[in-house]
Amino acid sequence: MIKDVIKQIDAIAINDPNRVAYDYLGKLNTYGDLKRRSDAYAAKIKTMGLPDKAPIMIWGGQTFEMIASFLGAVKAGHAYIPIASYSNSERLTMIQEVSQAPAVIAIEPLPIEMTDIKVLTPEEVKNDESTITDNNFVEGNDNFYIIFTSGTTGKPKGVQISHKNLLSFVNWELTDFNLPKQPSFLAQAPYSFDLSVMSLYPALTSGGKLVVLPHEVTENIGKLFQTLPSLKFNVWVSTPSFAEMCFLDPTFDEKHHPELTNFLFCGEELSHKTAQMLKKKFPHAHIYNTYGPTETTVAVTQVEITDEILEKYDRLPIGVAKEDTQIMIDTSKGEKENQGEVVISGPSVSKGYLNNPEKTEAAFYQDDKNDYPSYRAGDLGFMDEDMLFYRGRIDFQVKFNGYRIELEEINFYLAKNPLVRYGVVAPKYNAQHKVQQLVAVVELADGVREKYSDEELIKKLRDDLSKDIMPYMLPQRFIFREEMPISQNGKVDIKQVIKEVNA
């Protein structure tokens, strides 16, 4: 049982400094490298005069320098906010505005000049063998990291994950997933995506290794299929969608990856079809379906997908809650008997959203029945004995390619466009109940139709949206309507639009 994430990683570095911790496309870094570099970041951060426990934004990709800066921040007593360097500049400034972070570590060059906060670059951090004590280490209920998710009013929400939250998750993963000793994990998810934590800290606290598949490689299918066969690891972590893409590679099977023994899926629903295909390609591997919102630290339920499970269920279960966690179903939010909103209580549940008491109060609560906070997940589900099943969202939040997207955030920016009178983004589902496309349904402003062709309109709308939202949130399809369905309260009937898109 691990009692302290930072001390555990440092202890491995002291006892076995030459053990490989990080493999970035063949460039190796050891645990000794990780301790020296994270200590150097911690020493430098402590000289910057930052407010006590203030969070630090960290901008970059999936390099070794990123995780060294993560650990450096928490060693100096500050939570880190990971921001992927493929994000747009508006997201960076918005996160700074919400978080009130006094500093940013620019592992890669920033897209804009930031004059109102302190900027630290790797070149300014010298490996001077600084002695770092654990006096300032993040601990207990202090924030360890803050992940920013989509927001409903154009502002992203910062989910605060404490050291205590992270410990609960890491100890569960290392105990309940039949992992090999000192496992080597695929690190494919960008660090701004909390799925990355399913690889990052279980690997580093167990003396394992992170084998990185960078975002720029996964975005290029040619590069992906050239790179993936050369990587050696035994624990696969990804969304089901990413694995489905890899099915196109004929070498993605047990014969070519004999060392690959464990698959851990999270971020979206694992379909029966995908699990069945994976069992054929890797007949001896352990395949786990997991579930959990960012607000509850990556995942809180798991189930191994066996032949018996595949035979018993057409739509797969999302698992049994970890031992320290309670799952409840609020049937007042459901339309069918025994079905309702998933409510999660346990030590991995976040304290709430950073600097956002209104949203925190709406989603989190504490009652006398539980020692831990409870989170209303907004997911529709039901229990069959101790097994949880997922049946979609009770609001307009969706999972697409593993990313959690609040449709209202896209709608917010779409409605601001002068070309648009009404605009709604609807999810298009496939036969496996997964979001296949984001479809923008638009009623144009007066006079617009006469000025532009459909192709010109789509380009203008996509270009404008890309200034305000992440690339994965951009609609793949646009439908232009003469009139939108309007509800009794005078607003666009979003449920009707979604129904029509999926008809």
Side-chain angles (χ1 to χ4, degrees):
M1 182 72 71
I2 295 164
K3 296 182 179 179
D4 188 293
V5 170
I6 314 168
K7 292 178 183 177
Q8 176 74 11
I9 298 169
D10 272 2
I12 296 167
I14 292 167
N15 294 325
D16 195 357
N18 295 321
R19 175 176 291 279
V20 174
Y22 212 74
D23 180 349
Y24 186 94
L25 301 180
K27 183 180 179 182
L28 306 181
N29 286 98
T30 66
Y31 278 85
D33 296 334
L34 184 57
K35 186 175 189 315
R36 281 188 295 274
R37 196 62 182 151
S38 59
D39 284 355
Y41 271 102
K44 183 65 177 180
I45 291 167
K46 286 168 72 173
T47 68
M48 294 173 68
L50 304 180
D52 188 38
K53 298 184 181 180
I56 298 173
M57 299 187 299
I58 302 183
W59 172 272
Q62 290 158 272
T63 60
F64 171 76
E65 204 73 16
M66 279 290 279
I67 64 162
S69 67
F70 294 169
L71 291 177
V74 294
K75 285 181 175 183
H78 299 270
Y80 64 87
I81 303 172
I83 310 174
S85 53
Y86 61 80
S87 308
N88 54 38
S89 57
E90 285 80 3
R91 185 166 179 84
L92 177 63
T93 54
M94 200 174 290
I95 287 176
Q96 198 279 322
E97 180 184 324
V98 172
S99 68
Q100 299 170 26
V104 58
I105 300 176
I107 302 300
E108 295 182 25
L110 296 174
I112 52 173
E113 185 178 356
M114 303 191 79
T115 56
D116 53 342
I117 67 172
K118 296 181 179 182
V119 179
L120 178 64
T121 64
E123 292 73 27
E124 298 172 79
V125 180
K126 307 299 181 184
N127 285 0
D128 56 3
E129 303 298 330
S130 300
T131 301
I132 297 296
T133 67
D134 60 13
N135 295 343
N136 297 110
F137 283 13
V138 164
E139 61 182 2
N141 208 37
D142 294 340
N143 286 338
F144 196 100
Y145 66 81
I146 300 164
I147 292 280
F148 272 79
T149 67
S150 179
T152 58
T153 57
K155 295 234 176 179
K157 295 179 293 190
V159 181
Q160 303 174 89
I161 300 299
S162 70
H163 180 258
K164 186 168 63 176
N165 295 151
L166 182 59
L167 267 181
S168 173
F169 169 75
V170 170
N171 280 317
W172 171 62
E173 184 173 328
L174 293 179
T175 302
D176 284 17
F177 287 80
N178 200 27
L179 297 175
K181 187 178 180 182
Q182 295 173 335
S184 53
F185 279 80
L186 175 68
Q188 176 266 326
Y191 292 134
S192 57
F193 185 14
D194 78 323
L195 178 60
S196 64
V197 177
M198 188 172 272
S199 296
L200 182 52
Y201 293 109
L204 295 180
T205 55
S206 63
K209 178 172 64 174
L210 291 159
V211 180
V212 182
L213 192 58
H215 177 74
E216 55 269 26
V217 174
T218 63
E219 290 295 289
N220 182 321
I221 199 163
K223 282 186 180 177
L224 172 63
F225 292 168
Q226 184 180 11
T227 305
L228 187 59
S230 67
L231 302 182
K232 303 298 179 188
F233 53 87
N234 47 36
V235 184
W236 174 285
V237 173
S238 83
T239 62
S241 294
F242 183 70
E244 289 162 9
M245 184 166 64
C246 293
F247 287 162
L248 299 173
D249 178 3
T251 69
F252 185 57
D253 58 22
E254 186 174 271
K255 179 182 176 183
H256 295 88
H257 294 273
E259 71 289 337
L260 184 45
T261 58
N262 295 69
F263 287 86
L264 277 59
F265 290 110
C266 198
E268 63 189 12
E269 189 168 356
L270 175 63
S271 73
H272 191 281
K273 180 181 177 183
T274 298
Q276 202 166 36
M277 175 65 77
L278 203 62
K279 291 288 284 183
K280 287 181 181 178
K281 286 180 169 289
F282 295 88
H284 297 99
H286 299 281
I287 300 169
Y288 289 92
N289 194 20
T290 76
Y291 159 80
T294 303
E295 288 84 349
T296 64
T297 316
V298 190
V300 291
T301 70
Q302 64 97 331
V303 56
E304 183 170 1
I305 304 302
T306 60
D307 291 334
E308 291 75 22
I309 291 284
L310 285 169
E311 189 174 338
K312 186 175 181 180
Y313 301 107
D314 290 330
R315 192 170 180 182
L316 299 177
I318 54 177
V320 175
K322 59 195 184 82
E323 190 176 359
D324 61 7
T325 297
Q326 183 179 0
I327 303 285
M328 298 160 283
I329 302 296
D330 180 358
T331 53
S332 68
K333 300 288 185 70
E335 297 179 2
K336 296 181 180 179
E337 187 179 358
N338 299 326
Q339 190 167 283
E341 183 176 20
V342 176
V343 180
I344 302 163
S345 175
S348 61
V349 175
S350 166
K351 62 172 73 78
Y353 303 115
L354 183 67
N355 300 327
N356 196 334
E358 183 180 340
K359 293 288 185 186
T360 298
E361 187 176 349
F364 297 86
Y365 68 92
Q366 182 93 43
D367 62 28
D368 297 335
K369 298 177 184 177
N370 294 305
D371 296 329
Y372 302 107
S374 297
Y375 172 68
R376 302 177 183 90
D379 290 322
L380 195 63
F382 68 90
M383 301 291 295
D384 183 1
E385 296 182 349
D386 60 350
M387 189 75 76
L388 180 63
F389 291 78
Y390 173 79
R391 287 298 179 264
R393 293 289 301 173
I394 64 168
D395 53 17
F396 302 118
Q397 188 182 89
V398 298
K399 285 284 186 76
F400 182 52
N401 289 337
Y403 293 98
R404 188 176 71 176
I405 297 171
E406 290 189 3
L407 300 177
E408 289 174 74
E409 181 178 4
I410 315 175
N411 295 346
F412 174 81
Y413 287 113
L414 192 59
K416 288 175 62 176
N417 195 296
L419 302 175
V420 175
R421 184 180 183 192
Y422 297 117
V424 168
V425 174
K428 171 75 172 177
Y429 293 95
N430 63 17
Q432 283 76 46
H433 315 286
K434 287 171 56 178
V435 179
Q436 188 175 25
Q437 262 188 340
L438 296 179
V439 181
V441 183
V442 175
E443 181 180 334
L444 296 166
D446 291 340
V448 171
R449 169 61 77 186
E450 292 76 24
K451 294 181 181 178
Y452 303 103
S453 67
D454 282 2
E455 291 76 16
E456 289 172 325
L457 283 168
I458 291 169
K459 186 177 187 309
K460 284 179 175 293
L461 291 173
R462 283 180 64 87
D463 287 349
D464 281 352
L465 282 172
S466 68
K467 297 173 185 176
D468 296 306
I469 63 176
M470 297 289 282
Y472 61 79
M473 299 168 70
L474 287 171
Q476 288 78 50
R477 182 181 167 207
F478 285 77
I479 297 173
F480 299 109
R481 294 182 49 147
E482 291 299 320
E483 288 185 342
M484 297 285 271
I486 304 299
S487 64
Q488 290 182 343
N489 62 8
K491 296 182 179 181
V492 175
D493 189 342
I494 298 177
K495 289 186 177 180
Q496 180 61 31
V497 172
I498 293 173
K499 186 178 179 180
E500 290 174 5
V501 163
N502 287 278

